Amino acid sequence: MQAGFAMLCAGSIRAKNVQNILLKNLLDACGGALGFYSIGYGLAYEGGDDSSGTTFIGTENYFFHYNLDDHIGWFFQFAFAATAATIVAGTVAERCKMEAYVCYSFFITAFVYPVVVHSVWDSHGFLSVFNSDPLSGVGMIDFAGSGVVHMTGGCTALVAAIVLGARIGRFADQDGNPLDEPMVFKPHSVSLQMLGTFLLWFGWYGFNPGSTLGITSIGYGDVAALCAVTTTLAAASGCVGALFISYVATQVTIGEEVLDVSMAMNGSLSGLVGITAGCSTVQPWAAVVIGLVSGLVYFAASKTLIYLKIDDAVDAIPVHFASGIWGCIAVGLFADPTLVSAAYDVNKGGLFYGEGNLLACQVCGILFIIGWVVALTTPFFVLLKTFGYFRVSALEELVGCDLSHHGGSAYDIKGPPGEVVETFEMDRKSRADNNGRSIQSIGSHRTHIRDDNHSNDSGDHTHGEES
C-alpha cells in the first residue's frame, strides 16, 4: 500500500517536488511504525482485564513495555495506521515543511488514529460491534476501515488543507489576486499514477479479505472470498461511475468529449474506499451499486473542493473522506443479515432489509470520527502554522521542494555540457562535408568513365563506316 501511495502521489504532482513527496511517504511508514509501537497500539487495543467494560482508550502495552505475544496482530494493524497517516501526504504536497509532516505522522499514528480504532474495533469500544453491550444492539460495522482508516486520514487532510492554504498560483496569483479560473497543475507522470493505482488495488486484497484475521476456521474462507469479490466489483464500478460522470460533465460544460484518466483512477480508488466498510456484509450486486455511487461521490466532492477553493494536490479528500463517509452509510443500507451473522455473529441488517438500528450506529460513528479528528488536528495544525513550522517559504515553493530541501531534481534531465555539444556538432559537420566530397569525387569519376566509353563507341562506329 505504501508503494502504491508513493507512486500515485509522485505521479500526481509536478516534477519539481517528486523527491519531497517520496520521502514523506517513506517517513509515514517509519514514523507510523515508531509511533504505533511506542504509544498507538496500547491506546488502540488491550483495554484492560475487564472484558465486559467500555473504555475510551487502551490501558496496557505503552512505551515498549509489551505484555503481548501477538506480533502478527501488531504488524497487521501497523499497516492500517501507516495508511491513515499517508493519506495526508498528497493533499499538502508541494508546500508543507518536512518537520511539520514528521510531527503530524507521529501524532496521528500515536494518538488520533488509535482512539478511533479503540472505539470501533476493540471489544471495549463504545461503538464496537464486539462490545458485550453494543450500541443499539449492533454497534458500528466497519470491517476494514472506510471510517476508521480512510475517514480519519481524509478528515485530517481536509483540516490540514484548510489551515495550510492553497499552492501559489492555484486560485490566486503571486500577489494574492484571485484568478478568474483555478489554475490546473497537470500531473507530471500519468504512468506513475496508473502504477500507483494498480499497486493500491492489489494491496486492498490484503486489507479487505485479510481483515478476516484468519482463514482456517469454519466459514472464514467464505467471508474472505466474498470480500475479494465485492472489493473487485466496487473498484471496477467506481472507475466506470467517475469516468462516465466526468465524460458527461465535460461534454455539457465545454462541449468536448474528454475521457479523463485521472478521474478513472481516482474513481476506482473511491470504489475501493466505499466498499471497505461493508465488503464482508453486502451481496456482490450491492457492491456494484456502492462502487458506482462512490465514483459519483468522488466527482461531486472534487468539484466542491474547487468551488470552496480548498487545494488538494492529489484529490485525497474526495477519495478517502467523502467516499469513506458513503462507505459507512452504505453498510447501514445494504448489509445482508445473513452475511452480518456470518462475519460478526450478529443477526442484524441494513435499512433495505427492514432494520434501521445499524444505519443509526453508522451515522453515530461518522459523527464521532469527524468530531474527534477535527477537535485534535485543528489546534495542532494551527499551532504549527502560528510558529512558522507548517509551510515552506514562497520562494522555496516556487523553485520546488526538491531543489530547496533535497539538493536538486529527482530527474537528471540536463543535456551534456555546451562545449561537448559544440564539439560533437563540429565533428558531425566535418564528417558530413567529407562524405559530401567523397560522393562528389565518385560522381566525377563515374562521369569520366561514361565520357571515355562514349568516345570509344564513337570511334568504333567511324571505323566501321570507313571499312
Side-chain angles (χ1 to χ4, degrees):
M1 295 291 280
Q2 292 300 119
F5 279 118
M7 294 299 98
L8 180 63
C9 289
S12 299
I13 63 173
R14 290 170 289 182
K16 63 182 181 179
N17 297 295
V18 171
Q19 285 197 81
N20 188 259
I21 197 66
L22 289 176
L23 181 57
K24 286 175 180 175
N25 275 270
L26 176 60
L27 291 178
D28 273 325
C30 299
L34 297 175
F36 198 63
Y37 177 64
S38 61
I39 304 174
Y41 190 75
L43 290 173
Y45 293 102
E46 300 303 308
D49 296 330
D50 183 8
S51 60
S52 62
T54 297
T55 57
F56 182 67
I57 58 174
T59 58
E60 299 178 359
N61 302 320
Y62 294 117
F63 299 102
F64 310 105
H65 298 297
Y66 274 73
N67 300 313
L68 182 68
D69 294 327
D70 186 19
H71 296 121
I72 191 62
W74 177 90
F75 177 73
F76 187 69
Q77 294 300 329
F78 147 72
F80 285 81
T83 296
T86 203
I87 289 170
V88 186
T91 295
V92 299
E94 304 194 315
R95 64 220 193 261
C96 178
K97 281 189 174 181
M98 185 62 68
E99 53 265 41
Y101 198 80
V102 172
C103 291
Y104 149 75
S105 183
F106 186 87
F107 180 57
I108 191 172
T109 54
F111 189 60
V112 178
Y113 169 78
V115 172
V116 178
V117 171
H118 184 83
S119 300
V120 180
W121 284 345
D122 188 76
S123 60
H124 297 81
F126 78 100
L127 290 168
S128 177
V129 69
F130 303 110
N131 194 299
S132 58
D133 183 21
L135 183 67
S136 295
V138 59
M140 181 183 184
I141 291 180
D142 187 3
F143 191 73
S146 288
V148 174
V149 178
H150 298 282
M151 273 189 62
T152 299
C155 187
T156 305
L158 177 59
V159 175
I162 293 173
V163 176
L164 183 61
R167 291 167 289 176
I168 296 174
R170 179 71 168 111
F171 301 115
D173 60 23
Q174 296 185 31
D175 297 324
N177 301 313
L179 300 176
D180 294 333
E181 293 290 336
M183 177 65 68
V184 177
F185 297 135
K186 293 289 186 180
H188 93 278
S189 176
V190 178
S191 300
L192 287 179
Q193 283 183 295
M194 186 63 74
L195 176 61
T197 300
F198 276 120
L199 285 173
L200 287 170
W201 189 336
F202 179 75
W204 236 281
Y205 292 116
F207 270 25
N208 288 6
S211 289
T212 58
L213 303 180
I215 203 167
T216 56
S217 300
I218 297 176
Y220 277 35
D222 294 334
V223 174
L226 174 66
C227 291
V229 172
T230 54
T231 299
T232 303
L233 294 175
S237 55
C239 173
V240 173
L243 186 62
F244 174 77
I245 190 65
S246 172
Y247 177 83
V248 172
T250 54
Q251 193 175 39
V252 171
T253 55
I254 64 176
E256 295 183 11
E257 299 176 348
V258 179
L259 293 172
D260 192 326
V261 179
S262 293
M263 276 286 173
M265 291 185 288
N266 284 331
S268 66
L269 295 177
S270 297
L272 289 165
V273 172
I275 197 60
T276 296
C279 58
S280 65
T281 58
V282 302
Q283 295 288 348
W285 66 265
V288 175
V289 176
I290 293 171
L292 282 171
V293 176
S294 295
L296 303 181
V297 167
Y298 159 72
F299 178 83
S302 178
K303 299 304 179 184
T304 301
L305 286 184
I306 296 174
Y307 176 78
L308 298 174
K309 296 185 178 180
I310 298 174
D311 186 15
D312 185 346
V314 301
D315 260 0
I317 298 168
V319 169
H320 298 280
F321 184 54
S323 297
I325 292 174
W326 160 242
C328 293
I329 293 174
V331 175
L333 300 175
F334 294 99
D336 186 323
T338 303
L339 299 177
V340 174
S341 179
Y344 291 97
D345 198 24
V346 175
N347 191 23
K348 297 289 184 178
L351 187 64
F352 294 158
Y353 289 87
E355 300 184 42
N357 286 358
L358 178 57
L359 179 59
C361 291
Q362 300 299 106
V363 173
C364 287
I366 291 170
L367 295 177
F368 167 73
I369 293 171
I370 293 174
W372 173 253
V373 172
V374 171
L376 267 69
T377 58
T378 299
F380 178 80
F381 289 127
V382 169
L383 284 174
L384 286 177
K385 183 177 182 179
T386 301
F387 289 103
Y389 291 115
F390 201 11
R391 183 166 186 148
V392 300
S393 69
L395 181 59
E396 289 176 325
E397 183 178 342
L398 290 172
V399 300
C401 292
D402 283 2
L403 180 61
S404 61
H405 288 70
H406 308 288
S409 173
Y411 302 106
D412 185 11
I413 56 177
K414 296 178 181 178
E419 59 272 15
V420 175
V421 175
E422 184 178 350
T423 302
F424 173 77
E425 292 294 345
M426 292 175 60
D427 180 69
R428 182 164 60 180
K429 186 175 183 300
S430 175
R431 283 186 278 110
D433 290 342
N434 290 335
N435 290 337
R437 284 192 292 269
S438 298
I439 293 172
Q440 185 178 6
S441 175
I442 294 172
S444 300
H445 180 66
R446 288 177 176 174
T447 301
H448 289 313
I449 293 175
R450 285 197 300 271
D451 291 343
D452 292 342
N453 290 337
H454 180 70
S455 299
N456 292 334
D457 290 342
S458 299
D460 292 342
H461 180 68
T462 303
H463 291 310
E465 289 180 343
E466 290 176 354
S467 53

